Amino acid sequence: MSDHFLNQLGPKIKIANTVIEKELNNRFAEMFKKYSLTGAQISLLVFLYDSKGRTITQKEIADTFVLSHPTIRGIVKRLEDNNLIATSHLKNDQRQIVLTLSAKGFALLDDNITAIHEIMDKVNKRIVAGLSDADVKQLGHILNVIIGNF
């Protein structure tokens, strides 16, 4: 494998991430004009929504989405400022911040969860357009290997 081809992999993965993120942000911007929510913020809200009844810490979110502490803190702060989530501390470890959907956040997600999933499905289908089922399976495996390498 040539060094040139190898040197292009990282930038191509970054470009793919950027165009996918822009697409999600644009679609969600239309849906959530009032809140100016980004794809990352919507992903966090959906994660909390889908985790009903389970204690979710800020660290778990950071680990799940592979985000730095400052990045996740910024996302959490913006969602708190919009009164879509609430934070508290874990009773047995005051250093751990617990995230929960506020009543307003839950209602917003509950009213829009089907549309959110439709947008995510459309974007996911666009990501794999032109790939066979075997290619999609292999892509998933390759992405897992890449993620596991770090």
Side-chain angles (χ1 to χ4, degrees):
M1 181 177 322
S2 77
D3 285 344
H4 176 72
F5 182 76
L6 192 58
N7 290 338
Q8 294 300 309
L9 288 178
K12 284 185 179 188
I13 291 169
K14 175 63 177 149
I15 291 166
N17 175 68
T18 300
V19 297
I20 293 165
E21 197 169 24
K22 280 184 181 179
E23 181 69 13
L24 284 171
N25 286 344
N26 289 340
R27 289 178 181 242
F28 288 137
E30 294 172 25
M31 185 183 295
F32 299 106
K33 285 180 185 149
K34 180 178 176 184
Y35 300 102
S36 300
L37 297 176
T38 65
Q41 292 167 342
I42 295 290
S43 294
L44 188 149
L45 290 171
V46 169
F47 186 85
L48 292 174
Y49 182 84
D50 289 341
S51 301
K52 294 177 212 130
R54 201 165 67 75
T55 300
I56 305 295
T57 64
Q58 184 172 295
K59 181 175 178 357
E60 179 181 349
I61 296 284
D63 291 347
T64 299
F65 291 98
V66 193
L67 297 170
S68 68
H69 178 76
T71 300
I72 193 66
R73 188 67 206 131
I75 293 168
V76 166
K77 174 138 181 41
R78 285 188 294 281
L79 292 172
E80 270 186 304
D81 290 347
N82 276 317
N83 298 314
L84 296 174
I85 66 169
T87 60
S88 60
H89 291 276
L90 205 55
K91 288 186 173 137
N92 60 348
D93 185 351
Q94 290 294 307
R95 297 170 298 168
Q96 293 290 325
I97 298 170
V98 175
L99 307 177
T100 54
L101 285 174
S102 66
K104 181 179 173 182
F106 183 84
L108 181 70
L109 266 285
D110 213 39
D111 291 345
N112 292 287
I113 197 67
T114 301
I116 291 167
H117 284 301
E118 285 173 3
I119 287 172
M120 290 176 160
D121 287 346
K122 284 179 184 175
V123 172
N124 284 331
K125 285 178 182 163
R126 193 164 172 199
I127 290 168
V128 299
L131 298 178
S132 69
D133 288 347
D135 290 339
V136 172
K137 188 175 180 179
Q138 185 177 15
L139 176 62
H141 172 74
I142 291 168
L143 290 172
N144 285 335
V145 170
I146 291 169
I147 292 165
N149 287 340
F150 295 91

